[in-house]
Amino acid sequence: MAQKEASHIKDQVWYDKKRREFENYVGKYWRAEADISEMYFTKYRTLEGDRKWLSIQNSRELGNNIGNSFTYFASEIYHQVGISYPRERAMFFLMTAAQENAHYAWLAQVWEQLFDEEMDRHEITASRAEHPWWEYERQIRRVDPSADRATKAGAMYVGGGGASIFYGMVAALAKIGIKNKADEIIDMASRNIVSDEIEHSVMEGAKETEEGCQTDEDWELAKASARESQIPRIRARMYQFSIPEEQWDDIIEKYDKGDGIEPLTTGGIGSITSVLYPKRQLAAEAYLAPA
């Protein structure tokens, strides 16, 4: 029987305190992302804007999760699990890939509802690098492999593709009301995606902070790394959700300072993850033509 890995935390009370401080620090940037998507849905939403944000988001969700590349890697992991590849890591990889696939399918349903056409995954993947968005995306989380563990921990903790923005979508639809089938799917998918993204990034990032943040100085390095990742991410989100460019600098300054900003923490994000049906059933339904 495999032994449980020993904890790297020497002082649990100190660690929990520093972890809360760190999450409140990055929470102001998560709040920015949530407010940006909420602002789009309540103030700037258009069909053209929907086409842009859905195209960009599904190019992220798609990644290598569909097609021959995923099939190959899944097969390789299957044959090596428990031999040269840790079984827990294999489970996490396969679960994450399946969830990202479901995200893609749900958002593709939204596309079909809005535009009465099937989303062409080859087209959105090919156009990804052509968006000005890609220049901002390219600056995110480029941590050198030789970087210290605290720096890596900060970048990983704030990673992920959507907990905050999908939180903002749920908040927006709660304010303005669900008006059609597309909104209904967005609301359902957002609640599930939020839950998945917390697992993908924050939970993995927490493991990294346990190993990499052993001193006060380590936590400061993690904060600096998180900020370096989040500023270009906020610019990418503002482009994705059609926020007028003349507002960008003021928005970044507002959330970077954090004055009067209520941090969005994992507890707050997780508060909207209740769904109407079991997640497994929803994932299966995602492959059916929408009613």
Side-chain angles (χ1 to χ4, degrees), residues 15-152:
Y15 175 82
D16 290 344
K17 177 177 180 292
K18 299 301 291 188
R19 166 80 181 278
R20 285 193 297 271
E21 291 176 357
F22 177 69
E23 185 161 291
N24 282 329
Y25 176 82
V26 300
K28 62 185 181 179
Y29 300 113
W30 287 342
R31 176 65 69 180
E33 290 189 76
D35 287 353
I36 285 165
S37 64
E38 182 177 343
M39 191 187 308
Y40 169 74
F41 275 84
T42 57
K43 190 173 182 180
Y44 296 113
R45 189 180 184 187
T46 63
L47 274 178
E48 181 181 357
D50 280 351
R51 185 176 289 271
K52 181 166 75 169
W53 84 258
L54 281 165
S55 177
I56 289 173
Q57 192 61 35
N58 253 355
S59 74
R60 290 175 60 99
E61 305 292 355
L62 198 59
N64 291 322
N65 292 313
I66 300 176
N68 293 333
S69 57
F70 170 62
T71 302
Y72 170 77
F73 286 120
S75 175
E76 287 297 299
I77 286 177
Y78 173 79
H79 288 296
Q80 293 299 321
V81 66
I83 301 174
S84 62
Y85 199 88
R87 61 178 181 267
E88 291 82 4
R89 191 64 189 166
M91 179 184 71
F92 180 80
F93 172 84
L94 295 172
M95 177 190 72
T96 299
Q99 288 171 344
E100 299 286 8
N101 191 0
H103 302 173
Y104 165 78
W106 288 327
L107 296 179
Q109 279 192 337
V110 175
W111 182 284
E112 290 164 9
Q113 285 289 325
L114 290 171
F115 306 116
D116 196 28
E117 65 182 29
E118 185 173 349
M119 174 173 268
D120 185 335
R121 71 180 185 88
H122 296 291
E123 180 180 336
I124 65 167
T125 304
S127 67
R128 176 173 178 163
E130 297 172 7
H131 282 297
W133 163 84
W134 179 248
E135 288 303 311
Y136 305 117
E137 177 72 5
R138 197 168 52 81
Q139 300 170 33
I140 299 173
R141 288 182 297 150
R142 297 300 181 265
V143 177
D144 191 283
S146 63
D148 58 84
R149 292 180 114 176
T151 296
K152 292 178 181 177

